[in-house]
Amino acid sequence: MKNSKTIDEIILQHSTRKMDLIQEAYPVLHSQVAVEHFVTLPKGVVFLYTGFYVSSFAETDGPLGTYFLARALRTLGYTPIIITDEYCDGFFKEIEVIHIPLDGHDEEHYLTMIHQHQPICHISIERCGKNANGIYANMRGDDISPFTAPVDELFELGRRFAPTFAIGDGGNEVGMGNFKTFIQESLSLVPCVVKSDFPIIASVSNWGAYGFIAHLEKLTQKELLPTFDAVDDYLRHIVSLGSIDGVTKKNEKTVDGKAWTLEQNILEELKKAARFSDL
């Protein structure tokens, strides 16, 4: 019996920010293509970028997916290092973290980081990227540049040396520069201009990260996807540290204003999709 939905279809369900329109305009199985390339890379360090500032805290979308993707990568023999800023302080238990200051570093410092760790790739999950007006803006168009460390500069520099992957759910995130013309013309949003080699779109960026894990599980036949209980516990942890829902702006156990029960449904559907041997 074949699953009726692809992994890409699953992570694009319940779209409220018109990611389905991007999918129609660029009809590629973005997460599948990305992971099929990722598994050809040698084992090594993976830089994971996340943390999106909203009203004095980091939002709940991004850290969840990043944490569980980091755990999955570690299980497979990679060395994840999370790149973020002060607003995600204490979020990532037992994973190495590098905090970038709000005023950033110069290029020489970033090059030193790259040469020291020699990441095999860079993966951004819901990280604000500079837009066409040269600022960092949230989904409402508000300038959040004073509160956004320029980690996208490291991401762009890293692209000179290794492939980049990026997950976004709205158009203002790192990696969505690949679709910037469509976003500007069809979504009435000033788009992020930071491109990636393998962009991934999802209705919620955490779901995009789970989709990445589901493809890895399917390809490796190893149990990698988190349980809903594990995700629920981790969300409770970051909310206790101040993380807020990026849509409601409330310090509550929700993501992007969606009913939390959807998270369990998405994880269950991805688990079923990962069981099938064919992609």
Side-chain angles (χ1 to χ4, degrees):
M1 179 179 175
K2 184 175 173 57
N3 188 49
S4 60
K5 297 175 186 172
T6 67
I7 288 171
D8 280 85
E9 287 171 334
I10 292 168
I11 64 177
L12 279 164
Q13 295 179 111
H14 314 294
S15 176
T16 55
R17 296 185 66 191
K18 302 180 180 178
M19 293 299 97
D20 50 332
L21 297 184
I22 293 182
Q23 183 62 35
E24 289 176 10
Y26 300 85
V28 175
L29 296 176
H30 291 95
S31 69
Q32 177 178 317
V33 170
V35 180
E36 286 177 344
H37 182 80
F38 175 83
V39 296
T40 69
L41 302 175
K43 297 290 175 67
V45 171
V46 176
F47 276 6
L48 299 162
Y49 301 71
T50 198
F52 203 119
Y53 172 88
V54 179
S55 300
S56 302
F57 296 97
E59 69 163 305
T60 51
D61 191 23
L64 275 168
T66 302
Y67 175 68
F68 287 105
L69 179 54
R71 287 182 49 171
L73 294 176
R74 191 173 59 183
T75 297
L76 293 175
Y78 301 88
T79 303
I81 298 178
I82 295 174
I83 313 294
T84 188
D85 54 34
E86 63 186 55
Y87 298 105
C88 286
D89 189 34
F91 278 27
F92 304 106
K93 302 172 286 186
E94 84 268 356
I95 306 294
E96 184 177 350
V97 178
I98 296 176
H99 289 94
I100 304 298
L102 291 181
D103 57 356
H105 294 298
D106 58 27
E107 183 174 302
E108 183 177 355
H109 187 101
Y110 288 138
L111 284 172
T112 298
M113 288 175 59
I114 291 169
H115 294 321
Q116 177 185 349
H117 295 286
Q118 298 186 339
I120 61 164
C121 71
H122 304 256
I123 306 176
S124 180
I125 303 102
E126 188 68 11
R127 180 71 202 186
C128 189
K130 195 162 288 185
N131 69 15
N133 293 331
I135 65 171
Y136 299 98
N138 63 20
M139 64 182 292
R140 299 168 182 86
D142 302 323
D143 185 355
I144 57 171
S145 300
F147 314 103
T148 302
V151 302
D152 54 333
E153 294 178 358
L154 174 60
F155 183 90
E156 288 191 287
L157 191 61
R159 196 178 178 204
R160 298 183 195 173
F161 307 95
T164 55
F165 304 77
I167 300 170
D169 62 13
N172 56 344
E173 304 90 1
V174 168
M176 298 301 102
N178 295 57
F179 314 117
K180 63 182 180 181
T181 300
F182 180 85
I183 291 169
Q184 187 156 9
E185 293 177 353
S186 302
L187 304 189
S188 301
L189 179 76
V190 180
C192 171
V193 296
V194 181
K195 295 182 178 182
S196 62
D197 297 305
F198 297 93
I200 298 170
I201 51 175
S203 297
V204 176
S205 290
N206 287 338
W207 299 355
Y210 303 153
F212 200 105
I213 298 169
H215 280 298
L216 288 174
E217 181 163 315
K218 181 180 253 186
L219 290 168
T220 64
Q221 295 298 294
K222 293 185 178 181
E223 297 285 337
L224 299 171
L225 277 164
T227 64
F228 173 70
D229 286 344
V231 171
D232 189 66
D233 286 345
Y234 184 71
L235 179 59
R236 184 178 296 109
H237 167 66
I238 65 173
V239 167
S240 74
L241 296 176
S243 188
I244 67 173
D245 185 306
V247 171
T248 67
K249 294 188 177 181
K250 294 180 180 179
N251 175 230
E252 60 186 7
K253 207 156 63 67
T254 58
V255 178
D256 281 359
K258 297 187 185 300
W260 185 232
T261 52
L262 288 179
E263 198 85 356
Q264 185 167 11
N265 296 340
I266 293 295
L267 286 167
E268 289 174 352
E269 286 190 60
L270 288 173
K271 191 68 176 179
K272 291 177 182 176
R275 290 193 185 122
F276 291 91
S277 59
D278 62 309
L279 280 170

